[in-house]
Amino acid sequence: MTTLDIPELALVALVGVSGSGKSTFARRHFAPSQVLSSDAFRAMVADDENDQSASADAFDALHHVAATRLRRGRLTVVDATNLQPHARAALVRVAREHDVLPVAVVLDVPEALAWERTEGRADRTFGRQVLARMQRDLRRSYGQLAREGFRKVHVLRGVDEIDAAEIRYEKLFNDRRELTGPFDIVGDVHGCRAELEALLTRLGWELRRDEHGRPVDATHPAGRTAVFVGDLVDRGPDSPGVLRLVMGMVVAGHAICVPGNHEQKLLRRLRGRDVRLTHGLAETMAQLAAEPDSFVAEVAAFVDGLVSHYVLDGGRLVVAHAGLKEAYQGRASGRVRAFALFGETTGETDEYGLPVRYPWAREYRGSAMVVYGHTPTPEPEWVNNTICIDTGCVFGGRLTALRYPEKELLSVPAEREWYAPARPLTAAPARPDQVLELSDVAGRRHVEHAYGSLTVPAENAAAALEVMSRFAVDPRWLAWLPPTMAPCSTATVGGFLEHPAQAFADYRAAGVDRVVCEEKHMGSRAVVLVCREPDGGPFGPGGGVVHTRTGRPFFGEPLDTGLLDRVRGAVAGAGLWAELETDWLLLDCELLPWSAKAGGLIREQYAGVGAAGRAALPAALAVLEAAAGRGLPVGDLRDRMARRRDEIVAYSDAYRAYVGPTDGLRGVTLAPFAVLAGAKASYADRDHGWHLGLADRLCAADPEFFTPTRRQVVDLADPAAEATATDWWLELTAAGGEGMVVKPYAGPAARSERGSLLQPGIKCRGREYLRIIYGPGYDEPEQLAALRRRSLGRKRGLALREHGLGLAALDALVAGAPLWRRHELVFAILACESEPVDPRL
């Protein structure tokens, strides 16, 4: 038996004369979807697989499909004679364009047998001389295949060898998806052995030393694996010591390592190549000169065996020295290795004479987390699910590790500046903080933040971009957007679709022991960012902004300015500027009445339905009454119309309860319920008692303009407290109120016992209010039964994603993060609003 080793991802070219059995071999060893036959493509483009005049078009189509399959990471087998160098060159080119290995499998059978098989096929009409020419071409191919670029060449001679062949698939060296961690990924060490020891110790590793006291291995009691991102050597005081420790950990199976550009340069020098002794290589060579030749030989063998990058944890994690674009992950080629070692540059140099790096991470949209080093940065920062953990230890910075999957960063300071950097670590970023770029938000992108991560689909980003670019307030003032809110689990008794018992049960199931039930004001969500001084603030010209939950100016001028003046005065009257030591505040509010902002919506969407029903149904009922008086059997229909009339009256009463007369700001009130942030801190970690207490003080400072939020605090272990809150909800909704919002009392940033974010709020709406949402007759038994089958999972998931983004935006705001970083978080919230979720929920 002959075993053919073929990479799991490769372009396999079958090479052989007509009648050599290529198609039979392909059917035996490969799935039909993996095989691209030139005969089949001729038939596809010309309806005749023997039409040689169609060969050019057939191979164009074949190469296109092969390229598509390789781009998608699929093994591809080309069943053609592949006897001509130009035909094989096209296949090698396709493989290289997609960074996969080209493999040739040659089937060599006696010419007489090939001719016998060919004569037995009615669709083969060429003469024996053509086959003889093919055989000569095959012989010439033997010595050319490797030179043409085929990385593996398997030659099967004779029928017996072909029939006995077996395929064995090889994983690529970079494919370590079976390793799931947990990992401690260590940034560029650059010969800083003492700092590496300190970092490993802080991470919980136990060092093992040799008889000379030198560290030669390390183990972790929790079974963690260390991953080194390269650049172990150069510039620092003890490159041999770092190599000895890392090599020992790798050999023992306690670590894996990818090469850095400095290891690559060191290897070339150790092999006698003419390499300039710059960028710290001279120091490394001097240090290695004091080591035994056997150790230096081990170093050369170790570096030579390093793989450009690793794909880990089922494809969820990629580690490469300089990072790696999605298209290169899990691929093998010279340009993949070059990118992993050196990254990508613009071809320019900066004022320090260093190459300007192309910001590939800003354009990264892959699902795998990419962890890398190479370019020193003062602070690691997540950019589109990528992070650089080279914090310039050898330059006097820190040595940093990322714990995976925890995504926790740990670091130790450098003992000193071991090597003066060409570019200061604290050099100003290439882009000013306040500059936004389209690439920050356009297209499909992955957003990573402290509370989670999400992928923004390209179509959602396009919709958000339309709103942001045409309608939204100045991005400098757009600091936060409120998350959507999911309803409670569906009630099943008493004619209710939503009921407090389900809201309490939802939070109890999440491990929450105390909630606050806040009156749900039926108005329009208003976010207020107000500055102490009306003529300017830290966000740009102006003294504040009032915007909707989608970032649009609320009323426009001059009403927004007047509203801000009232809020500013109330904050001053309540003493909050001084108490919170801030010159600005971000408030989450509801503006009342609903009609002040939504008058057009009410007229077009609700009032028209009510008016039509109130006009038509009494007239229809009168006709049915007359018909019944004449003895016609219309009693059931009359009763049904009577119910419809009563339902439409209830429907009209429901939306009319939220309509009130306003003239400018006269008749308008504001109900604040959370003070989100100020100049000193985000207040998301404060409990709702604190937030509502400040809201009450604003109401007391200006009772004409501010509306208080009534509430009930409920201990979920106390049935009596739940009953009291339920009775209160029944009274609210019976009096025309919308209902209530139930929130974890611990505050907006509250987490469950498992550490995950809780729903920021669960709404529980009254029976009559739901007529506005679901229609006048929604509570009829059949309709109610159908509505009770509604699915809440997507809505709740959306609420949590938006909530996490909002918390991250608040943190970025008070931390003084660059505008582009804050904006990508807020932009992602708005993009989430394009998710296809039932708007009635």
Side-chain angles (χ1 to χ4, degrees):
M1 181 181 71
T2 302
T3 301
L4 311 184
D5 290 324
I6 294 178
E8 289 181 341
L9 175 57
L11 176 64
V12 180
L14 302 183
V15 182
V17 303
S18 177
S20 60
K22 298 184 300 300
S23 298
T24 301
F25 183 88
R27 284 194 298 271
R28 180 186 305 153
H29 295 288
F30 303 103
S33 59
Q34 295 175 322
V35 180
L36 307 182
S37 165
S38 59
D39 288 345
F41 276 88
R42 285 192 196 93
M44 189 182 303
V45 301
D47 295 327
D48 182 357
E49 65 180 35
N50 294 307
D51 184 354
Q52 297 300 315
S53 68
S55 290
D57 290 335
F59 276 99
D60 282 345
L62 185 151
H63 294 154
H64 174 75
V65 175
T68 302
R69 286 185 56 83
L70 295 177
R71 177 174 55 80
R72 296 178 62 85
R74 296 289 183 261
L75 176 75
T76 301
V77 181
V78 177
D79 175 13
T81 58
N82 293 320
L83 295 171
Q84 299 296 324
H86 68 85
R88 296 191 298 267
L91 297 180
V92 171
R93 183 171 59 253
V94 170
R96 286 176 173 170
E97 286 173 352
H98 294 85
D99 304 289
V100 303
L101 300 179
V103 175
V105 177
V106 181
L107 278 61
D108 188 353
V109 301
E111 182 181 328
L113 175 61
W115 177 245
E116 179 183 337
R117 291 173 174 174
T118 300
E119 280 191 309
R121 294 183 57 179
D123 59 347
R124 293 292 189 263
T125 59
F126 55 79
R128 178 76 178 260
Q129 71 279 7
V130 174
L131 190 65
R133 186 172 63 249
M134 289 183 179
Q135 197 75 21
R136 290 193 298 271
D137 291 339
L138 178 65
R139 294 285 180 266
R140 282 193 292 266
S141 300
Y142 281 144
Q144 298 175 350
L145 293 170
R147 292 196 300 271
E148 289 172 355
F150 287 94
R151 297 292 294 273
K152 287 179 177 288
V153 178
H154 299 288
V155 179
L156 300 175
R157 290 182 171 88
V159 174
D160 292 342
E161 196 168 316
I162 293 172
D163 290 344
E166 293 292 338
I167 301 293
R168 181 171 62 192
Y169 291 108
E170 295 178 322
K171 292 178 60 176
L172 293 176
F173 292 142
N174 55 45
D175 182 1
R176 300 302 304 274
R177 286 175 288 183
E178 77 280 4
L179 298 181
T180 58
F183 301 113
D184 291 333
I185 309 171
V186 180
D188 301 37
V189 182
H190 279 300
C192 299
R193 178 189 52 78
E195 289 88 342
L196 176 57
E197 290 186 39
L199 179 60
L200 289 174
T201 300
R202 186 177 177 197
L203 289 165
W205 289 77
E206 298 171 356
L207 297 171
R208 185 175 69 82
R209 301 179 184 274
D210 64 10
E211 64 275 13
H212 304 292
R214 301 174 301 190
V216 293
D217 191 12
T219 59
H220 198 285
R224 300 181 74 88
T225 299
V227 184
F228 295 92
V229 302
D231 277 5
L232 305 173
V233 302
D234 292 352
R235 296 176 173 147
D238 192 2
S239 290
V242 172
L243 287 166
R244 185 175 289 108
L245 174 55
V246 174
M247 288 163 56
M249 294 176 68
V250 171
V251 169
H254 302 143
I256 57 177
C257 180
V258 297
N261 56 300
H262 284 263
E263 280 80 45
Q264 185 72 8
K265 189 175 180 181
L266 171 62
L267 179 62
R268 294 173 62 214
R269 180 69 182 189
L270 294 177
R271 287 177 167 173
R273 304 287 293 275
D274 184 15
V275 178
R276 295 177 61 191
L277 297 176
T278 56
H279 304 298
L281 181 57
E283 289 80 355
T284 299
M285 294 304 299
Q287 293 162 13
L288 287 174
E291 298 289 336
D293 291 344
S294 60
F295 177 76
V296 177
E298 289 176 10
V299 168
F302 171 73
V303 174
D304 189 38
L306 295 178
V307 179
S308 66
H309 71 284
Y310 282 118
V311 179
L312 304 165
D313 192 20
R316 286 178 282 273
L317 173 65
V318 172
V319 178
H321 175 63
L324 206 62
K325 298 190 291 189
E326 183 180 19
Y328 290 171
Q329 294 168 11
R331 305 299 174 108
S333 71
R335 68 174 177 177
V336 169
R337 185 174 181 83
F339 194 104
L341 287 172
F342 304 102
E344 193 172 8
T345 64
T346 65
E348 304 168 304
T349 56
D350 62 16
E351 65 269 32
Y352 302 101
L354 298 175
V356 176
R357 306 291 177 190
Y358 186 80
W360 66 272
R362 290 189 197 168
E363 300 176 357
Y364 182 70
R365 301 295 183 264
S367 59
M369 178 191 302
V370 181
V371 184
Y372 63 103
H374 188 53
T375 305
T377 180
E379 295 289 339
E381 183 175 17
W382 289 101
V383 179
N384 294 335
N385 208 24
T386 77
I387 188 169
C388 175
I389 57 172
D390 178 6
T391 45
C393 181
V394 76
F395 301 128
R398 293 170 295 149
L399 184 61
T400 296
L402 173 72
R403 305 185 77 210
Y404 176 95
E406 300 89 342
K407 293 194 287 190
E408 176 185 357
L409 291 163
L410 285 87
S411 63
V412 296
E415 290 188 350
R416 49 166 284 193
E417 182 187 276
W418 298 105
Y419 197 93
R423 180 198 294 120
L425 282 180
T426 56
R431 176 167 50 151
D433 284 358
Q434 298 298 307
V435 173
L436 300 178
E437 295 180 359
L438 182 62
S439 60
D440 294 334
V441 294
R444 183 179 185 273
R445 55 198 317 275
H446 191 85
V447 179
E448 188 85 21
H449 56 86
Y451 302 90
S453 62
L454 81 160
T455 298
V456 178
E459 58 271 22
N460 291 16
L465 188 62
E466 173 78 5
V467 173
M468 287 286 190
S469 59
R470 296 184 59 192
F471 306 114
V473 301
D474 187 326
R476 292 174 295 180
W477 290 94
L478 193 59
W480 177 83
L481 289 176
T484 190
M485 190 181 303
C488 61
S489 295
T490 303
T492 58
V493 296
F496 290 101
L497 185 61
E498 297 175 10
H499 191 274
Q502 275 64 47
F504 299 146
D506 288 341
Y507 275 125
R508 192 182 298 109
V512 177
D513 56 7
R514 196 179 189 205
V515 297
V516 59
C517 304
E518 298 179 6
E519 172 188 9
K520 193 171 191 312
H521 301 286
M522 182 51 188
S524 302
R525 196 74 169 264
V527 179
V528 180
L529 178 54
V530 60
C531 296
R532 186 170 189 169
E533 300 299 328
D535 298 327
F539 305 98
V545 69
V546 186
H547 62 77
T548 67
R549 68 178 310 272
T550 57
R552 306 176 188 225
F554 205 87
F555 290 122
E557 296 301 333
L559 293 185
D560 284 1
T561 296
L563 192 153
L564 286 168
D565 288 340
R566 296 292 292 266
V567 175
R568 184 179 296 111
V571 173
L576 298 185
W577 297 125
E579 181 178 326
L580 299 177
E581 299 180 339
T582 183
D583 56 359
W584 58 267
L585 282 176
L586 180 63
L587 308 176
D588 191 12
C589 311
E590 192 88 358
L591 188 138
L592 306 169
W594 185 31
S595 57
K597 178 64 176 173
L601 175 68
I602 294 170
R603 285 190 299 272
E604 296 168 10
Q605 187 164 323
Y606 301 109
V609 174
R614 293 193 307 274
L617 288 170
L621 193 59
V623 171
L624 291 171
E625 291 283 4
R630 294 198 301 271
L632 295 176
V634 295
D636 290 344
L637 180 59
R638 179 189 58 193
D639 294 344
R640 192 159 61 251
M641 287 298 104
R643 288 198 303 275
R644 293 286 184 272
R645 177 199 58 196
D646 296 342
E647 289 166 355
I648 205 71
V649 169
Y651 172 83
S652 299
D653 291 344
Y655 71 74
R656 284 170 171 169
Y658 310 118
V659 175
T662 59
D663 182 11
L665 290 181
R666 188 178 298 112
V668 170
T669 64
L670 194 67
F673 42 82
V675 181
L676 297 169
K680 294 286 186 179
S682 163
Y683 304 127
D685 59 345
R686 309 294 179 92
D687 65 46
H688 282 291
W690 182 88
H691 286 280
L692 291 168
L694 295 191
D696 288 344
R697 290 166 60 181
L698 292 174
C699 294
D702 188 350
E704 180 183 341
F705 183 67
F706 285 90
T707 293
T709 297
R710 293 175 286 177
R711 65 265 194 183
Q712 295 274 324
V713 177
V714 180
D715 181 350
L716 294 182
D718 182 0
E722 289 190 25
T724 299
T726 301
D727 290 341
W728 176 70
W729 176 81
L730 290 170
E731 293 173 6
L732 280 178
T733 55
E738 178 183 349
M740 68 184 183
V741 178
V742 185
K743 301 177 181 178
Y745 187 83
R751 292 181 179 268
S752 69
E753 295 175 346
R754 298 186 300 273
S756 56
L757 283 177
L758 293 164
Q759 288 289 331
I762 294 176
K763 57 189 177 185
C764 183
R765 298 166 291 184
R767 183 156 48 189
E768 291 307 311
Y769 170 79
L770 287 173
R771 292 191 192 280
I772 303 175
I773 305 302
Y774 287 107
Y778 86 98
D779 56 348
E780 291 191 3
E782 289 184 1
Q783 291 195 42
L784 193 59
L787 289 174
R788 282 173 172 163
R789 294 192 292 269
R790 62 186 184 171
S791 175
L792 303 178
R794 175 171 287 189
K795 179 75 168 183
R796 290 180 172 179
L798 185 63
L800 284 175
R801 292 196 295 274
E802 293 183 5
H803 182 44
L805 288 165
L807 293 175
L810 294 177
D811 291 344
L813 175 67
V814 300
L819 176 61
W820 63 267
R821 176 56 177 160
R822 291 195 282 116
H823 187 63
E824 76 165 352
L825 295 165
V826 176
F827 186 94
I829 299 173
L830 185 59
C832 286
E833 289 296 304
S834 296
E835 284 291 302
V837 177
D838 186 347
R840 301 173 300 177
L841 292 177

